[in-house]
Amino acid sequence: MLSACSWSWFGLNSTPRAAAHPTGWLSVAPARDFPYMPARNGEVSPNRIENTAMTGIVLKDDINETVRDGIVNRLKIAGFHLDAGKRVLSGSIEKFSVDDTRSPAFWTLKMRYVVTDATTQKVVFSTTKTVKQKSPKFTSNTIAIEDTVRLNVDALIGDPGFVKAVN
């Protein structure tokens, strides 16, 4: 039998770690600076994700708030310093949709990201990232949305131009 003391090392350093990649310093703009373009264009309401099988997926919060919060969470987990910085990340949600007419469901998120110098207000980096992912048709919408945003932010983090802009 093992004594309880021998188990004490199991709990140490058990925090999950993000994949190794460069980090940087930046601030993330408020949700209003991440406009949801399909809603702005009158195609859907601000809290609705286009869905091919139904009229849409309706969230409690607006899509721009949900996506912005997901961006912040993913950047924090990845090790970016978000409390200060001479760069500000903003952007627009060009498309957020799900095609679940068949199984699996395919989620698509197209984001335009813009990094601006806080002092000069000049754009120092701009890119568009589109991710598509499949998930079980009857999965939790919350989980599918979080996963899709995470994949999109990971595509941004993997862009050497973005890393250079925030360092």
Side-chain angles (χ1 to χ4, degrees):
M1 301 241 343
L2 297 171
S3 72
C5 293
S6 66
W7 289 95
S8 62
W9 61 273
F10 278 112
L12 299 177
N13 298 324
S14 63
T15 56
R17 295 184 183 179
H21 52 72
T23 61
W25 296 81
L26 72 156
S27 298
V28 179
R32 70 177 176 272
D33 293 332
F34 287 89
Y36 182 40
M37 300 312 289
R40 183 172 276 180
N41 298 336
E43 298 166 24
V44 295
S45 63
N47 64 336
R48 185 179 298 263
I49 294 175
E50 179 187 351
N51 184 343
T52 57
M54 303 183 306
T55 57
I57 295 172
V58 180
L59 304 180
K60 180 178 142 189
D61 296 319
D62 286 350
I63 301 302
N64 64 332
E65 293 173 22
T66 302
V67 169
R68 190 259 181 204
D69 291 347
I71 291 169
V72 167
N73 291 337
R74 185 62 187 154
L75 289 172
K76 282 181 185 177
I77 289 169
F80 282 80
H81 305 279
L82 303 181
D83 51 359
K86 57 185 177 183
R87 305 289 193 232
V88 178
L89 177 66
S90 62
S92 58
I93 305 158
E94 304 294 320
K95 178 180 183 170
F96 205 163
S97 65
V98 60
D99 177 359
D100 67 349
T101 52
R102 293 184 180 91
S103 188
F106 288 93
W107 291 78
T108 302
L109 175 58
K110 180 179 181 182
M111 287 285 305
R112 182 175 190 279
Y113 293 101
V114 177
V115 178
T116 308
D117 184 287
T119 306
T120 65
Q121 298 300 307
K122 290 187 179 182
V123 173
V124 295
F125 176 78
S126 178
T127 188
T128 301
K129 301 293 181 190
T130 303
V131 296
K132 296 181 182 215
Q133 72 137 352
K134 56 183 175 172
S135 66
K137 185 171 181 168
F138 297 107
T139 191
S140 158
N141 290 334
T142 303
I143 292 171
I145 291 166
E146 288 172 359
D147 288 348
T148 307
V149 172
R150 177 185 48 80
L151 288 172
N152 200 281
V153 174
D154 286 352
L156 175 67
I157 292 169
D159 189 319
F162 172 73
V163 174
K164 183 178 178 186
V166 298
N167 282 295

